[in-house]
Amino acid sequence: GENVEQHPSTLSVQEGDSAVIKCTYSDSASNYFPWYKQELGKRPQLIIDIRSNVGEKKDQRIAVTLNKTAKHFSLHITETQPEDSAVYFCAATSHGNEKLTFGTGTRLTIIP
Amino acid sequence: EAQVTQNPRYLITVTGKKLTVTCSQNMNHEYMSWYRQDPGLGLRQIYYSMNVEVTDKGDVPEGYKVSRKEKRNFPLILESPSPNQTSLYFCASSYGGSKNIQYFGAGTRLSVL
């Protein structure tokens, strides 16, 4: 089955700096890669996703890149703000296979 | 309002006492799933269902049962809970296929003593 590894497990950055979280996956059939944000005490919510026919996707201050050859994808947050502090999860699945496999999460702390 | 509703939100029980956590969605989603969240282990899928009467094991199905008799409901059953099932549980639903955005419930924090 699919295995998703996520690094780092914790990340602290100064407000205004950029943050990068990286994930690798094992199943070459995986073709959908979402990122979820979980604020303290809240439920996970989708913030951005990318499909395997696209190399990069951007939405305001967040972007995701995908390298299918290397089987890794990354979340980039620019101009970080205190409200970006949360746990971020990457995930992978293959279209037609609804089993979604999550990474172990990254706790991002923005230092004011 | 589109939502996934889990009940109860908090539950303390004792080893061996059967319990059910309910999950209901009002978005007519085909796909529903249960996850458990443990520190350092992320979200691990317990069971998922792609449609009524269709369920499949996720990564950690041992000790759990599910059923999908109606499209909107997907209860999680612990026949004989044990302390290692103490965890935070999330139900999620989605349209599936190319629209596999998961909508999560608010979570159920379970403690098994």
Side-chain angles (χ1 to χ4, degrees):
Chain A
E2 177 65 277
N3 181 48
V4 177
E5 294 192 358
Q6 183 172 348
H7 299 281
S9 56
T10 60
L11 178 62
S12 295
V13 300
Q14 289 290 141
E15 182 177 352
D17 287 350
S18 296
V20 180
I21 302 170
K22 299 182 179 181
C23 290
T24 60
Y25 62 98
S26 61
D27 188 352
S28 56
S30 288
N31 57 8
Y32 174 64
F33 308 92
W35 286 87
Y36 286 81
K37 175 183 180 182
Q38 185 180 28
E39 297 176 352
L40 190 63
K42 301 288 182 64
R43 72 194 77 189
Q45 291 190 297
L46 180 79
I47 55 170
I48 195 167
D49 57 8
I50 191 167
R51 301 191 185 278
S52 58
N53 59 347
V54 175
E56 182 174 358
K57 184 177 178 181
K58 194 172 182 180
D59 183 3
Q60 299 183 333
R61 295 187 299 106
I62 60 173
V64 57
T65 59
L66 171 64
N67 183 327
K68 285 172 56 180
T69 304
K71 292 200 216 125
H72 66 70
F73 56 113
S74 300
L75 177 72
H76 304 253
I77 306 173
T78 59
E79 300 172 13
T80 52
Q81 301 169 2
E83 54 264 36
D84 295 328
S85 292
V87 177
Y88 292 81
F89 293 98
C90 63
T93 189
S94 57
H95 185 23
N97 173 10
E98 310 303 350
K99 186 178 181 305
L100 191 63
T101 301
F102 282 84
T104 51
T106 297
R107 182 174 299 279
L108 175 63
T109 302
I110 306 302
I111 305 166
Chain B
E1 179 189 352
Q3 58 187 1
V4 179
T5 304
Q6 289 178 234
N7 279 298
R9 293 289 316 281
Y10 303 91
L11 180 59
I12 301 174
T13 190
V14 295
T15 299
K17 186 175 181 182
K18 180 179 178 180
L19 65 92
T20 299
V21 184
T22 64
C23 176
S24 179
Q25 51 94 5
N26 63 359
M27 295 170 278
N28 201 35
H29 284 165
E30 301 285 337
Y31 174 84
M32 297 187 74
S33 182
W34 277 102
Y35 298 89
R36 61 177 288 173
Q37 183 174 13
D38 302 288
L41 298 177
L43 290 156
R44 293 181 293 167
Q45 192 172 50
I46 303 170
Y47 270 94
Y48 63 101
S49 169
M50 293 172 65
N51 213 327
V52 175
E53 301 293 1
V54 179
T55 63
D56 275 299
K57 295 178 181 179
D59 294 315
V60 288
E62 294 78 20
Y64 304 95
K65 285 176 58 177
V66 293
S67 67
R68 188 91 181 273
K69 292 184 171 57
E70 305 167 283
K71 196 172 187 179
R72 62 182 292 126
N73 296 323
F74 191 46
L76 179 69
I77 303 157
L78 284 71
E79 295 269 4
S80 183
S82 62
N84 64 11
Q85 292 179 298
T86 292
S87 186
L88 177 60
Y89 292 86
F90 286 101
C91 179
S93 71
S94 77
Y95 285 112
S98 62
K99 297 182 180 179
N100 200 13
I101 299 171
Q102 305 279 303
Y103 294 87
F104 285 85
T108 296
R109 187 165 293 281
L110 172 66
S111 294
V112 183
L113 305 177

